[in-house]
Structure formats: C-alpha cells, structure tokens
Amino acid sequence: MAYFSSININTKSSLLFLACFSLFSSQITEACHEIDRAALLGFKDKITLDPSDLLKTWNQSTNCCTTWDGVTCDSTGRVVNVTRPGLFSTDDSIFDTSMTGTISPSLGNLSSLQLLDLSNLKNLNGPIPPELGKLSHLTYLFLNTNQLNSSIPTTFRNLLKLKKLYLSDNRLFGVIPSSVFETLTSLTELGLSGNLLSGVIPSRIGKLVLLARLDFHSNNLSGRIPITIGSLKNLKSLDLSENRISGSIPLSIGELSQLVQLYLHQNRLTGSIPSSISNLISLQFCRLSENKLTGSLPASIGKLPSIQRLVLENNKLTGKLPATIGHLTRLTDMYFSNNRFTGKIPSSLGNLKNLQVLDLSKNHLSGPIPYQLVKLQNLQILDLSYNPMGLGSIPNWFSKLNLFRLLLARTGITGQLPKWFSSSSIGILDLSSNGLTGKLPHWIGNMTNLSFLNLSNNGFHSVIPIEFKNLSLLMDLDLHSNKFAGRLGDIFSKTTQEPLGHFNSIDLSYNMFVGPIDEDIGNQDSMGSIEKLVLSQNLLGGTIPKSLGKLGRLRILELEKNGLSGRIPAELGNATELTSIVLSGNKLTGGIPSGVLNLVNLEEFDVSMNKLRGRIPPHNTTIPASAFKGNYGLCGAPLPPCNTAQ
C-alpha cells in the first residue's frame, strides 16, 4: 500500500463529497437485506486480488449494513452506498491501493443504490455490466481509473436520477451512445476522458442542460463540435482536447457565459476563432493550441474580463495582434508561439500588469519591442525567439524587469552582451543564432542564477574566462558554432550547488577549443549527471579519456573531427546508458572494443574515417557499413569478411 502526503484538489473534493454523503445517510434500523447481501458477495467473488483487504469485512455471517466497510444502508436495510475506491483517506493520511477482478452483474440487484464508487482501483477489468442500468435510484457512479474494456452500456439511459458519471481513464471503446443523452437530464458532471471512444459527439448532448462539467479529452473522437453545445448554459468546464475533432469552433460557444475552462487543444480544428468568444465573460483558462486555426484574432478577444491563461500556440493564425489584448488585465499567461502573426507587438500589452509569461516566439513579428512593456513587473518569462525583429541591441530597459527566462534567439541582435546581465536574476538565457560578437566577459561569472545558457551560432571569439567556474547552478550549456578557443577545463570543473548545478548537456562543437580533453573529466563533480556531451569539430587532439566510462547517465557522446589519436578506451563500455557514439573523422587506432559496440542501449555508432584495424566485434545493433568506412584495416560484418589471417 503506497502512502501519499499530498493530494490534488479533485481528489480532495471527491473524498469530501463521499464523507458528506455518508454523514447524511439515513440511520439504520433493519438488518441487511438478503438480496443486497448476495449482490455484494457476488461482487466479492469476482475479485481475484485485494492486497489491502478492502473487502475483508464482507462475509456471510455479519450484517452488511453495520460491519461491512464501505457499505451504507437506509432505515429499511437496503444498501444505498457502496464506496470501495482505490484512493481513500483516514484521519491524517491518503492511501493509494488497487484491486484486481471484474465487476459482477450482481451489483445490478442493489435496487436502492444511490452511490457506487469503485474508482482508482487500477486493475478492475472486463466489461461494464449492462445490469447496472437497473439501478434506477443511482445518483453518483464512479468507475474511473481502472482497466474496464467494453462499450458504454445503452442501459445507462435508465439511470434517470444520475447526477455524476465518471468512466474516465479506462479502455472503453465504441461510440458515445446518443440514446443515453435523451434521458440523463439530471447529469451535472460527465467524465469519459482517457478512453478509446470513437465516432462523433452526439448532438443530443445539448439536452443535458444541467451539465456543469463535460470532459471527453484523450479519446479518438472525430467529427465536429455540435452546435447544440451552446444549450449547456450551466457549463463551467469543457474539455474536448486530444481527440480528432475537425471543423470550426461553433458560434454557439459564445452562449456559455458561465464557462470557466475551455480546452480544445490537440485536435484538427480549422477556421477562425469566432468573435462570439467575447461573450465568455466567466472564462479564465482557454487552450486552443495544437490545431489548424487560421485567420486573425478577433478584436473582441479583448472583452474577456476574467481570462487568466490564453494558449493559442501551434496554429496558423495570421494578421496583427489586436491592441484590445491590452484590456485583459487579469491575464497571467499568454502563449501565442508558432503562428503567423505579423506587424509589431502592441504597446497596449504594457497594461497587462499581472502577466507572468509572454511567449510570441516563432511568428513573423517585427521590432522594435515597445518600451511600455517595462511596466510588466510580474513578467518572469519573455520569449520572442525566431521573429524577424531586427533588434540590434537588447533594450537596456529590460534591466528593469524581473525576468527569470529570457529567450531572444534569432531576433537580429548584434554587438556584445549588455553588462546589465551581470546584476540580473536571469536563470535561463537563449541568445542563439544572432550576430553577437566579442569576448565572453569576465562578469559572466556574476550570473549565478543561470541554469541554462545558449549562445550558439554567434560570433564570439575568446577563451572561457576563469570566472565561468562560478556558475554553480548551470546545467545546460550550448556554445556551438562560435570561435571560442582555449582549454575546456574551466567548464568541466565548474562549481556546483548541491543538489543542483550538475550538467545535463554540453555542446561546444564547431569552435576552436584546444585539448587534450582533461583525463579526469569523468571524475569532475559537475559531470556526474551529464546525458549529452558534444565536442565535435574542434582542435582537441590527444586521446579519449578513460574516465568518460564513469559517466553513468551519458547517452550521447560526439567527438568527431577533433584530431583524436590512440585507442578507443574499453572503459567506455561502462557508460551503459549510451545510445549514440560518434567518433568519426579522427586518427584513432587499434581495434573496436567489444564492450563498447555491444552496449545494450546503443542505437548509433560511427567511427568512420579513422585508422582502426582488426575484426569488427559481433554486435546486435544494426549499424550500417558507412559507419566503419575509411578504416582500411577493419573487416567483418557489416564490412567484407576478414581474411583467415586477421
């Protein structure tokens, strides 16, 4: 049984609901009805594994109304409440467990049942019994987070009193039965997410006029969003994300004035965002990303008085950003990346006093950046990367912001790094693919909050200053494609700040660094967690350090075209997580160690254009002959066979 010290809001709400439901159940005056006892024992008979003894108290010799855990009866001895979820609480703890087996059709005989909760048992499988449709008093049904595999029974149309129905996170298939929505007009919450349901969303869903929460995300639903969705006037949360829904967003969406959450992302929606969206006066969270939406943003989008998070990234939206966005003063997150927006950034964005994230990357926006953004004192993340902004220099007024993440890749920055960086709190900095020049300044060592630094594809030309060692939180470094020179020791031996500051990735390729690579690179504290090490296309010379074999998390090692000599160290075979080893274009000699070529996770191996000799060891990974070419002393599969003398 696993213990959890924290618990999400939805789980807390569910547990509070169950506690309240039990608290207000009628007092028991009669013994358990024999039909109900038999029905519950029939359920227990179908359970093959109950590791936490959730059903231990269920036995023939005791009163199911008074001694059976999770069972509540009314005053006549009829069972009204069965709650055996896999996620449950005691006075001070939350427990998570499981149960294996199938749901017995005998539960359909609990004719007075109002609440059935078998959620989060993880391993309940088999079909949902159609007999559950006989439970005419059922008000709450929770079967979510199991492995149930069947269609949704059409008999559920008889559950006229049902208010909450959760079948999410199972393996249910087939279509959503339209007939169910003819009669379940008392439903306030409907959760079918995380299944394999297909077909269209029935238009009759519009008859569920009391519905406050509708969640169909992560299925295989197709077709259009029905126009009748606008009839659900009480809807507060609508999640149709991660499906295959196509067509346009219906104008009727604007009739959902109580809607707080709208998630339509990761579908195939086309057309423009309807201007009726301005009627969603309660909307706080809106995610329409990962679709094929086109057209310009309607100016009416500025009439969403409650919006906090607006995510429109990865679409095909065009035109200028409407100045009315500046009216969304409660907005905290604005993700508009990877669209086709043009023009300048509206100065009205400076009115978004609560904005924490502004991501306009990968568009066609032009500069300059409006000075009014200096008012965004809550802004933590600014990403304008991959826009043809022609910035020239980074505005000095940026120093007045409290940025943690600044991303300005390929925005036309030239000149040198601004000195105000040395006193900033920036932790993630990406200035790659610009026209920056000059030396990496000594004050770089003052940027002690840096955890990610990308200065690749620029024109820097200097050695790495010794103050670089002070970047004790730095974990990802990309300096490739510059003209950096000198030794690498001050990078590999930088300080750490336990448990942080250990490298995840380093890319120093296509520079002018000289070697040899420090023999103790694998012993450096900062290198113990590294997964990617790319040093290709430098002037390193020397040999491959044996200590690289001590990098137990290393997955990618690229050292091509460095003038390396000597043998491939057999110790490299101790780095068991390696998936890619590229050593081509060097002067390596000797044979290929069998332990290196037979690393269990190896997917890519290239030692072409070296001076290796001998038989290629037998190996399981499929490696093309081109990966061994240019080594005239090598033989054996996938190259031609060796002579008997070799």
Side-chain angles (χ1 to χ4, degrees), residues 175-435:
V175 301
I176 299 173
S178 181
S179 61
V180 169
F181 300 121
E182 290 284 355
T183 54
L184 300 190
T185 53
S186 296
L187 270 181
T188 60
E189 297 184 14
L190 176 58
L192 303 179
S193 62
N195 282 293
L196 304 171
L197 297 171
S198 56
V200 301
I201 300 172
S203 61
R204 292 177 185 174
I205 201 165
K207 295 182 179 292
L208 305 183
V209 293
L210 298 181
L211 210 57
R213 185 176 186 220
L214 176 60
D215 187 356
F216 287 175
H217 85 267
S218 293
N219 278 288
N220 295 319
L221 299 174
S222 57
R224 306 172 72 92
I225 300 173
I227 296 174
T228 55
I229 204 82
S231 301
L232 306 180
K233 310 293 186 185
N234 293 296
L235 205 59
K236 291 181 172 60
S237 177
L238 175 61
D239 191 346
L240 305 179
S241 63
E242 299 176 50
N243 279 288
R244 302 175 182 178
I245 299 170
S246 58
S248 58
I249 301 172
L251 283 170
S252 61
I253 203 87
E255 298 174 28
L256 306 179
S257 60
Q258 295 192 48
L259 197 65
V260 175
Q261 297 176 334
L262 175 62
Y263 298 138
L264 303 179
H265 54 278
Q266 283 184 245
N267 277 292
R268 301 174 182 179
L269 296 172
T270 56
S272 58
I273 297 173
S275 58
S276 63
I277 197 173
S278 61
N279 297 325
L280 302 181
I281 57 175
S282 302
L283 193 64
Q284 296 179 25
F285 308 101
C286 179
R287 186 172 178 184
L288 308 180
S289 54
E290 290 86 36
N291 279 291
K292 300 178 181 180
L293 297 173
T294 56
S296 57
L297 280 184
S300 61
I301 203 167
K303 296 180 180 180
L304 298 174
S306 304
I307 195 72
Q308 296 178 29
R309 201 164 194 263
L310 186 56
V311 184
L312 305 179
E313 61 192 4
N314 299 316
N315 278 289
K316 299 179 180 180
L317 298 169
T318 56
K320 295 182 178 181
L321 297 174
T324 54
I325 292 178
H327 298 156
L328 307 179
T329 54
R330 294 188 180 182
L331 197 63
T332 60
D333 297 83
M334 180 174 168
Y335 290 94
F336 283 16
S337 66
N338 200 24
N339 279 285
R340 300 173 183 178
F341 292 120
T342 56
K344 297 183 178 181
I345 299 171
S347 60
S348 62
L349 295 192
N351 298 328
L352 304 179
K353 59 183 179 180
N354 291 304
L355 198 64
Q356 298 176 22
V357 179
L358 177 58
D359 186 353
L360 302 176
S361 62
K362 299 179 183 178
N363 280 287
H364 304 301
L365 298 170
S366 55
I369 302 170
Y371 175 76
Q372 288 82 352
L373 297 193
V374 74
K375 295 186 292 182
L376 302 180
Q377 289 301 298
N378 288 309
L379 195 66
Q380 298 176 26
I381 298 174
L382 177 61
D383 190 351
L384 304 177
S385 299
Y386 301 99
N387 280 289
M389 305 193 77
L391 290 184
S393 61
I394 300 172
N396 283 328
W397 56 263
F398 271 29
S399 63
K400 299 178 181 180
L401 299 174
N402 299 306
L403 294 172
F404 172 74
R405 181 180 299 183
L406 177 60
L407 309 171
L408 297 174
R410 198 174 293 175
T411 52
I413 300 171
T414 57
Q416 300 184 358
L417 293 176
K419 191 168 184 179
W420 62 262
F421 273 179
S422 65
S423 57
S424 74
S425 58
I426 294 173
I428 296 175
L429 181 62
D430 185 354
L431 302 178
S432 60
S433 301
N434 280 294

Side-chain angles (χ1 to χ4, degrees), residues 546 548-552 569-578 595-596 599:
K546 295 178 181 179
L548 286 174
K550 296 181 179 180
L551 302 179
E571 289 82 355
L572 206 56
N574 296 328
T576 55
E577 295 297 313
L578 275 168
V596 174
L599 283 161

Side-chain angles (χ1 to χ4, degrees), residues 25-33 36 65 71-81 111-114 137:
S25 295
S26 302
Q27 294 297 311
I28 303 161
T29 60
E30 298 288 339
C32 177
H33 197 285
D36 292 358
C65 291
V71 177
T72 306
C73 299
D74 63 14
S75 59
T76 68
R78 299 310 300 259
V79 173
V80 294
N81 178 347
S111 58
S112 296
L113 193 66
Q114 298 175 35
H137 293 280

